[in-house]
Amino acid sequence: MTVRVIFWTGAPEMEVPMSDYTSQEKSWRTATQLVRGGTARSSFEETSEAIFLTSGYVYPSAEEAETAFKGDKKRYIYSRYANPTLSMFEERLALLEGTRYCVSTSTGMSSVFAALASQLKSGDRVVASRALFGSCLYIIADQLPKFGIETELVDGTDYAAWEKALSKPANVVFLETPSNPCLEIIDIPKIADLAHKAGAKLVVDNVFATPVLQKPIDLGADIVIYSATKHIDGQGRTLGGAILTNDDEFIEDHLTPWMRHTGPALSPFNAWVLLKGLETLTVRVRQHCENALKVATFLEGHPKIERTLYPGLESHPQFALANEQMPGGSSLVAFKVKGGKPGAFAMLNGLNIIDISNNLGDTKSLITHPSTTTHQRLSDDEKSVLGISDRLVRLSVGLEDADDLIEDLDQALSKA
Ligand SMILES: *Cc1c(COP(=O)(O)O)cnc(C)c1O
């Protein structure tokens, strides 16, 4: 047996893509960016991007370590600050979003918390839409006030309510569109305008739409957030999050020191899974939307269903706005099953293909009953304001054959 000895001749001179991405890759079209963008090949010339499972980095001399710590040479120092696999994921996602900066984090929630807590201080004011992912609502309504930050929640589709809340100065406006679980659409350019007039930065949680269907920064937002756990991985494997922006001051003065010293860094292995997920993101999202539209159309005509909410259906209360802001209805469909909770539970329990799970954006179709799971924490009044009744079900349409999903829903509904 022969053993091949590889002589490592030192890392190639690599401009560490830790912050400002100004590469020629920007001129590529989206599909090319998603397959090749951000790739930093090592001197081993690997085809697939390498996983740099390392916490630290070595220096050829004490002088170089000194220069690195002074900040005079951009290089990798410690993986809590930056890591080559994370950099590849961040640069690829930044290319897709069209922003100068992307900072990855361990989960979507650590992204939400870092984006808010890093820039807010006692005495500041936050205005947010009420229909939010449960944990985002917890941060805004329960955590921030503990640090002396005033928060106000408004009905995201009520422009007058936003106008009133933003007639007073604010520091951050936070919203999610389409919202969870009822898929309400918020007009991003209009709210961005109000936010800026009030002196606030607009932060958009763009998980449901994905960067393929909606680019909030182009629509006037300042900061966009993803749970990469959802469509970016898209195959139910890892948790991850990302914060994207063009705002130099936010990155330099707030987010970078926050990330370095509080430590919500993404694992290099998870970054690699997400990086490979980006390669197929547009293809998957397109198919998710096609399947979801077929399923929503079927559900809308079904006698056991009282109401179907899908931004790609003309019956959606904000169909025109959805159409303008988001070319594709997303992978999520919400619907109300006749017969209340027993009806909804009988349908969920009768499914053979679709799994009961609170996750979303997966290749596997997943269904959840928000009132008893994701939104269980809310009071009856809060649920009713958000339209979360016992009849409501949220379906994340996967990449199975849409006809199999329709047959599965049809047989399960016959039991409801
Ligand atoms: C899942 C989700 C989050 C949180 O992401 P995690 O990766 O689970 O931490 C935040 N916002 C929305 C809209 C989500 O769907």
Side-chain angles (χ1 to χ4, degrees):
M1 193 176 88
T2 56
V3 177
R4 196 156 85 92
V5 180
I6 296 168
F7 292 100
W8 178 251
T9 53
E13 265 310 308
M14 183 165 71
E15 176 59 17
V16 181
M18 282 190 297
S19 55
D20 201 342
Y21 307 126
T22 47
S23 59
Q24 54 116 15
E25 298 165 334
K26 276 187 179 166
S27 63
W28 292 345
R29 289 163 186 85
T30 306
T32 313
Q33 288 172 335
L34 287 177
V35 174
R36 294 182 174 271
T39 303
R41 229 167 235 157
S42 81
S43 53
F44 293 124
E45 306 282 8
E46 64 280 355
T47 310
S48 171
E49 296 78 357
I51 309 175
F52 289 93
L53 268 179
T54 182
S55 45
Y57 305 86
V58 299
Y59 308 89
S61 67
E63 286 78 8
E64 169 134 0
E66 184 185 21
T67 327
F69 271 79
K70 264 201 208 152
D72 291 346
K73 180 170 182 184
K74 263 179 136 193
R75 52 154 289 163
Y76 293 100
I77 294 174
Y78 191 50
S79 287
R80 172 148 44 76
Y81 298 3
N83 167 289
T85 312
L86 271 63
S87 298
M88 288 191 257
F89 167 60
E90 290 166 348
E91 185 172 356
R92 195 169 286 180
L93 185 54
L95 283 166
L96 173 62
E97 193 75 36
T99 54
R100 289 215 305 283
Y101 303 103
C102 174
V103 174
S104 61
T105 69
S106 56
T107 64
M109 285 325 301
S110 58
S111 278
V112 172
F113 190 60
L116 295 175
S118 68
Q119 62 174 312
L120 289 165
K121 60 182 186 311
S122 163
D124 282 353
R125 187 165 173 267
V126 174
V127 177
S129 56
R130 188 176 283 116
L132 294 176
F133 182 74
S135 301
C136 298
L137 193 61
Y138 169 77
I139 287 179
I140 288 167
D142 295 11
Q143 278 299 314
L144 297 183
K146 288 203 318 201
F147 300 101
I149 296 156
E150 185 193 327
T151 66
E152 185 173 342
L153 297 173
V154 301
D155 173 349
T157 61
D158 182 349
Y159 183 71
W162 282 109
E163 243 181 342
K164 184 156 174 274
L166 292 169
S167 62
K168 283 187 280 176
N171 303 82
V172 164
V173 170
F174 186 91
L175 64 85
E176 182 186 318
T177 176
S179 72
N180 182 27
C182 290
L183 310 172
E184 287 172 3
I185 309 291
I186 301 177
D187 194 321
I188 298 175
K190 275 191 176 170
I191 307 308
D193 205 36
L194 288 178
H196 295 150
K197 283 183 184 143
K201 287 185 176 162
L202 175 61
V203 182
V204 174
D205 179 338
N206 202 37
V207 172
F208 277 30
T210 81
V212 175
L213 299 179
Q214 179 170 277
K215 293 195 167 58
I217 304 270
D218 290 350
L219 298 170
D222 301 285
I223 297 161
V224 58
I225 280 164
Y226 292 103
S227 162
T229 315
K230 311 296 164 54
H231 305 80
I232 293 177
D233 169 26
Q235 289 156 83
R237 302 166 296 191
T238 64
L239 297 166
I243 305 165
L244 295 106
T245 186
N246 288 323
D247 187 329
D248 302 308
E249 187 233 16
F250 167 67
I251 286 289
E252 283 157 27
D253 298 347
H254 302 293
L255 191 61
T256 303
W258 172 276
M259 287 299 300
R260 287 184 170 211
H261 306 300
T262 70
L266 179 64
S267 117
F269 180 78
N270 291 356
W272 178 82
V273 173
L274 299 171
L275 174 69
K276 301 310 272 181
L278 284 176
E279 293 183 357
T280 56
L281 184 66
T282 35
V283 181
R284 285 185 287 110
V285 169
R286 213 177 293 140
Q287 192 62 42
H288 274 296
C289 291
E290 194 180 298
N291 284 5
L293 180 61
K294 277 190 194 163
V295 168
T297 306
F298 158 78
L299 291 169
E300 187 164 50
H302 199 282
K304 290 210 172 155
I305 296 203
E306 185 187 308
R307 182 97 170 86
T308 303
L309 290 162
Y310 182 65
L313 286 179
E314 272 180 50
S315 59
H316 188 282
Q318 295 147 295
F319 175 69
L321 175 60
N323 222 6
E324 203 176 298
Q325 196 161 278
M326 216 174 59
S330 88
S331 56
L332 290 133
V333 184
F335 55 99
K336 290 176 186 168
V337 184
K338 286 182 186 167
K341 183 176 164 185
F345 272 33
M347 190 215 59
L348 258 66
N349 292 336
L351 290 163
N352 296 324
I353 296 175
I354 301 169
D355 292 309
I356 301 171
S357 173
N358 48 286
N359 200 8
L360 61 95
D362 198 299
T363 48
K364 295 183 170 61
S365 292
L366 305 173
I367 198 160
T368 191
H369 184 251
S371 159
T372 53
T373 60
T374 53
H375 292 72
Q376 190 185 147
R377 220 172 55 84
L378 301 184
S379 70
D380 288 347
D381 281 352
E382 286 168 322
K383 284 183 196 169
S384 102
V385 171
L386 295 176
I388 304 170
S389 66
D390 270 355
R391 288 160 293 168
L392 185 77
V393 167
R394 187 197 74 194
L395 172 64
S396 169
V397 180
L399 299 182
E400 303 93 339
D401 192 302
D403 290 334
D404 284 330
L405 298 176
I406 289 170
E407 281 170 25
D408 194 27
L409 287 161
D410 197 29
Q411 65 79 25
L413 280 165
S414 73
K415 295 168 187 161

